[in-house]
Amino acid sequence: MPRGAWIPLVLVVAATSCGGGGTLSKKELQKQAEAVQSFAAEGALVAQGAQQGRTTDTFVRVHTEYLAKAARKVESELGSKHASEGLDQKREDATKLASLVSQDLDRLHRDPGDRALAARLRLALAKNAATAEELAK
């Protein structure tokens, strides 16, 4: 696929309230997990492009920075909320997953030309996307 034809996935914007804190609803947790899934899936596509040399280093740096920042925001928001006992483990899992996704995106951001790293991160991000999808159920 030519560079100009590469179209990123549509990001799911996390539907959260401003100010943090509060109680996390099941629907809100689902939306946050879907956001993490989206960031990880799009990150996997960016990593694949980097691995195959189909994207510029600048594109990889800018896009991964944006995705990592969004994942950190979800991590922060999930970490500041309380959840009922039934949702607390899922909240913790989603928080940790958002952290892993942001860390992987940061690694790709720092070294966008490393094709071997991009290949490893593509697999890790794809796995995290699948895990987040399960958490959203």
Side-chain angles (χ1 to χ4, degrees):
M1 173 183 299
R3 275 184 212 178
W6 192 89
I7 300 173
L9 291 177
V10 176
L11 292 177
V12 176
V13 179
T16 60
S17 61
C18 295
T23 303
L24 185 69
S25 70
K26 183 176 182 176
K27 179 103 174 139
E28 191 175 7
L29 176 60
Q30 180 182 11
K31 290 288 184 190
Q32 296 287 29
E34 288 171 353
V36 173
Q37 187 274 333
S38 179
F39 303 144
E42 189 163 351
L45 287 175
V46 172
Q48 182 179 22
Q51 173 191 359
Q52 297 172 348
R54 293 185 295 119
T55 57
T56 66
D57 287 358
T58 301
F59 175 82
V60 174
R61 280 191 187 107
V62 170
H63 212 65
T64 54
E65 180 179 30
Y66 168 77
L67 292 170
K69 183 177 179 181
R72 280 190 297 275
K73 182 178 179 189
V74 170
E75 176 189 6
S76 175
E77 290 172 353
L78 285 170
S80 70
K81 300 262 183 178
H82 300 286
S84 64
E85 205 170 296
L87 288 180
D88 198 49
Q89 185 60 53
K90 275 190 165 188
R91 182 196 59 79
E92 285 181 30
D93 292 346
T95 303
K96 288 176 187 173
L97 198 54
S99 176
L100 289 173
V101 168
S102 69
Q103 289 171 30
D104 285 345
L105 291 165
D106 283 338
R107 290 176 64 201
L108 187 56
H109 171 81
R110 286 189 304 270
D111 199 357
D114 186 337
R115 289 185 178 196
L117 174 64
R120 288 190 305 273
L121 293 175
R122 178 184 61 83
L123 293 174
L125 287 162
K127 180 182 174 193
N128 287 336
T131 301
E133 185 177 23
E134 286 300 312
L135 276 174
K137 291 181 180 179

